[in-house]
Amino acid sequence: MLLASVVVVWEWLNEHGRWRPYSPAVSHQIEAAIRSSDPRGGSVVLGQVDSRLSPYIIDLQSMHQFRQDTGTIRPVRRSFYDPASAPGQGWQWEWENDAGTWTAYDMEVAIAIENAHNRQQPCLDLTPLGFCYLIDYQTMTQVNRQSQTFRRLQRRADMSYPLVSPCSCQQCMLVFSVKTNTAGAGVGGAGIPTLGRRSLTIQRPKNSVLVSSKLLSPSKSATLGVTTPPSPVPSPSPMVMKPQRTPSSVCHAPLPQRSSLAGLSRPALQRIAMAQSRALIASGVPTVPVKNLNGSSPVHPALAGITGILMSAAALPVCLTRPPKLVLHPPPVSKSDVKPVPGFGHCCKKTTKKQACKGKTPEEVVKKYLQKVKSPPEEDCTICMEPLGGPSGYKGPGVGPMSRAESVGRLAQCGHQYHFQCLVAMYNNGNKDGSLQCPTCKTIYGVKTGNQPAGKMEYHVIPHSLPGHPDCKTIRIIYNIPPGLQGPEHPNPGKPFTARGFPRHCYLPDSEKGRKVLRLLLIAWDRRLIFSVGTSSTTGESDTVIWNEVHHKTEFGSNLTGHGFPDPGHLDNVLEELRAQGITEEDGLMEK
């Protein structure tokens, strides 16, 4: 008998709790990685298919998407759909956003829109799907029923999502027995006989536990970290296993028969998809440790995961522990609950153009911070590595000839000595903002500014507490920088730069020290020192907006990525990093 195929769509969970589909090309890439026999498998670099996703990596063992430049982690899942639906036929439904670009609908919504389109309906109400929108096929618009806002929509042809072929391995056949428990007794009583048509059956003695086609007594189930408490549910009928072939080490997306698929509810199909996704990973099933009666079991996660899948398929109860949950964002907050930060008159700051020093030449700026040196010491200039008693090793443009009396200068505050021409050249290669930083000890002369692009910084208090700070509320900072063109202060003037991951949400405790840090961050924002344009050290992408050595916490309710709370030393570390940028607590007092 022919077995069904289904379409696989990989999706990620956004901050609003909605599953958003990856493109067909990305889904094909992930499926190819699953089928690969590469022993290093287990992760997929999405930028190999879509350059816009260059910061993202999917860890197949934990079923999470990881953003390398911000540390953001999001769950992913592998969903099954009918091959005759929109993803199987290569149709994409998209709506036009405020930026004038097209955004794909959630897959469930896109399928509903496509089905109504195929039935030649004039319109479709999305209210049953949880959206207050009306789709008008005649005008190809989406209408918000509350605000009466119109948005254009389009039906675009694209490649089909990957079609999954079945396999007949024992593990997958057991996974599909989950379907028979949920589909009910409509197929031959308990539904188990549907597996008999595959010449792959199992005979299980009473009260035994099946693990990887071996039989264990209940007394050994605790050794494997599996609890089997008494259950009033009758055990399934005995089955006899006679495999036709040896199961492969990598399951190639098994599926039930088409007739049995038709009786599945959507949640049951999703449960099968999730179980299969875990069974597909060659390097180990990404389940958390199974917990036995005495606590956490030391059993290998792969064995524990496969055990859990097999026992679930056999209708045996399984007790699983859960890993700490990643909490990137706070619970939803109404506008009325968002309050200004105490002691701050505003809640938003913008930056526009770069702050340049006007009216002074580079030579005049450098001379302002130097003292004359009559007899240079017998040591090298640490900029050009030539003796201070000789000429500067710098031969580039922008520096004229110097008299011997002015050829070496001492920085007034720290006392380090350099060739005057070397300092002028160093200044010309920087932001030319009127400040100078000693290349040896990093002492800053003047007011240092950076090359942060134009953007907006918002800040307010939300009524939730951070881990480790239960006695105060939370300051939420939202940075937003759009992509644009690089200016003369950037590495490649005139070339576009990207801005990945904006808006970026960051968090501080609404305590006295937290407000002090916020006040200094505002000064750093004004001086364009929070971000920079350069090359990402995590993704390798050049000409993009990157953090500029002032660490922020982007994880609200946990600290799984190292960018969250609790972190007792975080505020002190940020104060030190700001001090290294020339921003001190005295500057904060002057800003009040």
Side-chain angles (χ1 to χ4, degrees):
M1 180 176 293
L2 292 177
L3 298 180
S5 293
V6 294
V7 170
V8 172
V9 177
W10 282 83
E11 300 168 310
W12 57 277
L13 187 66
N14 69 8
E15 61 271 21
H16 304 296
R18 290 164 48 194
W19 289 98
R20 303 288 297 136
Y22 290 104
S23 68
V26 171
S27 291
H28 275 280
Q29 180 195 14
I30 300 172
E31 287 295 306
I34 289 177
R35 294 191 299 269
S36 171
S37 59
D38 186 352
R40 298 171 300 172
S43 63
V44 183
V45 180
L46 302 187
Q48 294 176 350
V49 169
D50 188 341
S51 60
R52 296 171 299 178
L53 302 180
S54 58
Y56 297 98
I57 291 177
I58 288 183
D59 178 19
L60 293 174
Q61 295 192 29
S62 65
M63 292 293 282
H64 279 86
Q65 168 193 281
F66 174 64
R67 184 179 178 120
Q68 299 177 82
D69 54 350
T70 64
T72 302
I73 298 178
R74 298 184 187 276
V76 299
R77 73 179 184 183
R78 181 174 184 259
S79 298
F80 290 161
Y81 295 93
D82 192 327
S85 63
Q89 299 300 311
W91 291 111
Q92 295 279 339
W93 284 91
E94 301 168 326
W95 55 275
E96 188 178 30
N97 57 36
D98 292 334
T101 58
W102 295 95
T103 301
Y105 282 96
D106 295 354
M107 192 52 64
E108 297 278 2
V109 177
I111 290 174
I113 296 175
E114 175 68 14
N115 291 342
H117 175 269
N118 291 338
R119 292 192 296 267
Q120 298 184 346
Q121 293 181 203
C123 59
L124 173 67
D125 185 2
L126 298 182
T127 303
L129 295 177
F131 298 94
C132 191
Y133 297 118
L134 182 71
I135 301 298
D136 188 334
Y137 292 99
Q138 296 178 343
T139 60
M140 288 297 283
T141 55
Q142 167 192 284
V143 185
N144 188 314
R145 286 182 170 274
Q146 294 179 342
S147 66
Q148 295 300 308
T149 302
F150 286 75
R151 292 185 184 273
R152 291 195 302 162
L153 60 88
Q154 67 175 5
R155 179 177 184 252
R156 179 175 59 83
D158 199 345
M159 71 167 65
S160 300
Y161 278 87
L163 201 64
V164 172
S165 301
C167 84
S168 57
C169 71
Q170 301 171 14
Q171 187 182 93
C172 292
M173 295 305 294
L174 281 173
V175 168
F176 289 125
S177 70
V178 177
K179 184 271 310 173
T180 62
N181 294 330
T182 58
V187 184
I192 298 296
T194 58
L195 294 179
R197 293 196 290 264
R198 292 296 311 281
S199 301
L200 186 62
T201 54
I202 303 173
Q203 181 160 5
R204 183 174 54 78
K206 186 177 181 181
N207 294 332
S208 63
V209 179
L210 178 67
V211 180
S212 301
S213 74
K214 294 184 179 180
L215 296 173
L216 302 176
S217 66
S219 62
K220 293 187 178 181
S221 64
T223 304
L224 285 170
V226 181
T227 59
T228 56
S231 172
V233 181
S235 59
S237 304
M239 297 171 285
V240 179
M241 173 169 280
K242 295 179 181 179
Q244 286 184 322
R245 60 183 178 85
T246 303
S248 60
S249 60
V250 180
C251 166
H252 292 286
L255 292 166
Q257 299 173 5
R258 184 177 296 274
S259 58
S260 61
L261 262 179
L264 273 174
S265 65
R266 178 68 182 154
L269 195 60
Q270 287 289 5
R271 284 195 294 271
I272 292 179
M274 292 176 65
Q276 285 184 298
S277 299
R278 297 183 181 276
L280 283 169
I281 312 304
S283 56
V285 180
T287 51
V288 297
V290 181
K291 188 175 182 179
N292 61 23
L293 294 175
N294 299 321
S296 297
S297 167
V299 67
H300 190 279
L303 179 58
I306 293 175
T307 303
I309 291 175
L310 296 178
M311 292 186 65
S312 296
L316 294 173
V318 178
C319 178
L320 296 177
T321 60
R322 294 283 181 183
K325 186 178 179 181
L326 179 72
V327 183
L328 289 174
H329 302 285
V333 178
S334 64
K335 290 185 177 179
S336 61
D337 289 332
V338 175
K339 304 296 183 182
V341 180
F344 290 74
H346 303 281
C347 60
C348 178
K349 278 211 170 187
K350 295 182 179 180
T351 56
T352 52
K353 298 180 180 179
K354 86 180 198 78
Q355 302 169 359
C357 180
K358 298 180 180 179
K360 290 187 177 181
T361 65
E363 288 81 2
E364 291 174 329
V365 172
V366 172
K367 284 182 179 180
K368 182 172 65 172
Y369 305 121
L370 286 183
Q371 298 173 341
K372 292 182 179 181
V373 177
K374 295 181 179 180
S375 301
E378 294 183 0
E379 58 186 49
D380 292 340
C381 170
T382 56
I383 298 177
C384 69
M385 302 310 295
E386 296 291 339
L388 287 172
S392 168
Y394 178 74
K395 305 298 181 184
V399 179
M402 298 293 299
S403 66
R404 183 175 180 83
E406 295 179 328
S407 63
V408 176
R410 179 189 296 110
L411 289 172
Q413 186 174 341
C414 64
H416 290 109
Q417 301 180 38
Y418 305 95
H419 288 122
F420 178 79
Q421 289 178 314
C422 292
L423 288 173
V424 173
M426 185 182 73
Y427 179 83
N428 281 326
N429 287 328
N431 289 331
K432 296 187 282 291
D433 58 0
S435 71
L436 194 67
Q437 187 167 15
C438 175
T440 301
C441 65
K442 307 305 179 184
T443 299
I444 296 173
Y445 296 83
V447 177
K448 178 183 177 181
T449 61
N451 64 2
Q452 174 182 293
K456 182 170 67 172
M457 175 183 179
E458 300 177 73
Y459 45 96
H460 48 250
V461 173
I462 56 176
H464 300 290
S465 298
L466 292 165
H469 299 274
D471 299 329
C472 61
K473 297 179 181 179
T474 298
I475 299 172
R476 178 167 61 185
I477 304 172
I478 304 176
Y479 295 112
N480 204 350
I481 295 178
L485 292 177
Q486 298 183 51
E489 73 275 26
H490 293 134
N492 297 296
K495 186 177 179 180
F497 66 85
T498 58
R500 310 288 188 189
F502 289 94
R504 299 188 185 182
H505 291 225
C506 307
Y507 305 96
L508 291 170
D510 184 26
S511 60
E512 182 179 353
K513 184 176 283 189
R515 293 178 204 141
K516 179 191 298 183
V517 169
L518 175 62
R519 196 172 298 278
L520 298 187
L521 287 175
L522 288 171
I523 298 174
W525 176 263
D526 282 339
R527 298 182 185 178
R528 307 172 69 213
L529 293 169
I530 300 291
F531 297 96
S532 181
V533 173
T535 299
S536 171
S537 59
T538 53
T539 66
E541 182 182 12
S542 59
D543 302 304
T544 190
V545 179
I546 58 177
W547 291 105
N548 189 35
E549 300 180 2
V550 179
H551 286 83
H552 286 64
K553 294 296 187 181
T554 56
E555 190 178 344
F556 173 79
S558 55
N559 195 18
L560 301 185
T561 65
H563 301 290
F565 294 92
D567 185 349
H570 171 63
L571 297 180
D572 290 327
N573 292 338
V574 175
L575 291 174
E576 283 297 322
E577 292 167 347
L578 290 168
R579 189 175 294 110
Q581 299 284 0
I583 300 172
T584 64
E585 297 181 27
E586 289 74 17
D587 295 314
L589 294 175
M590 294 173 61
E591 289 288 324
K592 283 188 175 181

